[in-house]
Amino acid sequence: MYLPDDDLTTYITTTTSDCIEHGDIEGIVLTGLSAKAVPLLQTYMLKYHDLQTAILAISHTSPRYFASPLVDAWRIEYRNLLNTYRLFLHRVKFDTQATALSVPSGGGQKPTLKPPPRQVSLRCNNCEQALDRNPDHASSTSAPAPASFTQGSIFADHKSGTVCPKCGKHLP
């Protein structure tokens, strides 16, 4: 099928608008991964509740080629989602890749995204509380350690090995 230039432009514009309006992810072919894709991905997320696809796709171009506060908010929410699901290694990999992709084209420049601060936290496998003996950092919801673990015990097997200061369970 052949269309004159004016009709082709109208057809592409109409099709792009329809894709954005209906959240049709195939509209990426028409918008590209540019600032024009942000409204399309926003509608897609509202329709399918799929933040991961949107942020992983647009991270290849934002903020490297364009900046969008909406994409920045998606990035923060995706990081929080990964943390909520306790996918810390996946979150670190996402942070590393997103920072690497944010280097402006032309080379030799610093990444646009600031790398997140390094975080290391040891946690108990049983109660999931941080292994921090400082009472200022203790969670208000954590149960106090059993008396036999905090005050010593006449039974040697209770004190053998390392125990969690919050729940008193043995650590690996």
Side-chain angles (χ1 to χ4, degrees), residues 87-106:
L87 297 171
F88 304 118
L89 295 176
H90 294 283
R91 199 245 15 247
V92 170
K93 189 172 182 179
F94 171 73
D95 287 341
T96 304
Q97 294 293 328
T99 302
L101 287 171
S102 73
V103 176
S105 57

Side-chain angles (χ1 to χ4, degrees), residues 10-164:
T10 303
Y11 173 76
I12 291 174
T13 304
T14 305
T15 305
T16 304
S17 297
D18 288 344
C19 288
I20 291 171
E21 184 179 332
H22 295 105
D24 185 0
I25 197 77
E26 292 177 359
I28 291 286
V29 173
L30 299 171
T31 63
L33 287 174
S34 65
K36 293 178 183 179
V38 174
L40 169 67
L41 292 171
Q42 177 68 31
T43 308
Y44 172 79
M45 282 192 307
L46 291 173
K47 185 174 182 179
Y48 296 105
H49 308 288
D50 184 7
L51 172 64
Q52 184 172 4
T53 299
I55 193 61
L56 292 179
I58 204 74
S59 286
H60 289 277
T61 57
S62 176
R64 185 175 186 176
Y65 298 110
F66 70 94
S68 171
L70 189 57
V71 174
D72 294 339
W74 295 347
R75 187 175 286 110
I76 291 167
E77 281 304 311
Y78 184 61
R79 292 182 77 245
N80 291 338
L81 180 69
L82 291 174
N83 283 338
T84 300
Y85 289 144
R86 307 184 49 73
L87 297 171
F88 304 118
L89 295 176
H90 294 283
R91 199 245 15 247
V92 170
K93 189 172 182 179
F94 171 73
D95 287 341
T96 304
Q97 294 293 328
T99 302
L101 287 171
S102 73
V103 176
S105 57
Q109 299 176 354
K110 292 184 178 182
T112 306
L113 289 178
K114 186 176 178 182
R118 295 181 182 205
Q119 301 170 359
V120 175
S121 176
L122 298 177
R123 296 190 173 274
C124 174
N125 287 341
N126 183 51
C127 68
E128 298 296 332
Q129 297 297 317
L131 296 179
D132 185 3
R133 294 186 185 271
N134 185 350
D136 295 337
H137 296 123
S139 173
S140 60
T141 61
S142 64
S148 63
F149 292 102
T150 58
Q151 298 175 352
S153 172
I154 59 172
F155 301 107
D157 60 341
H158 285 285
K159 287 298 273 187
S160 64
T162 307
V163 295
C164 173

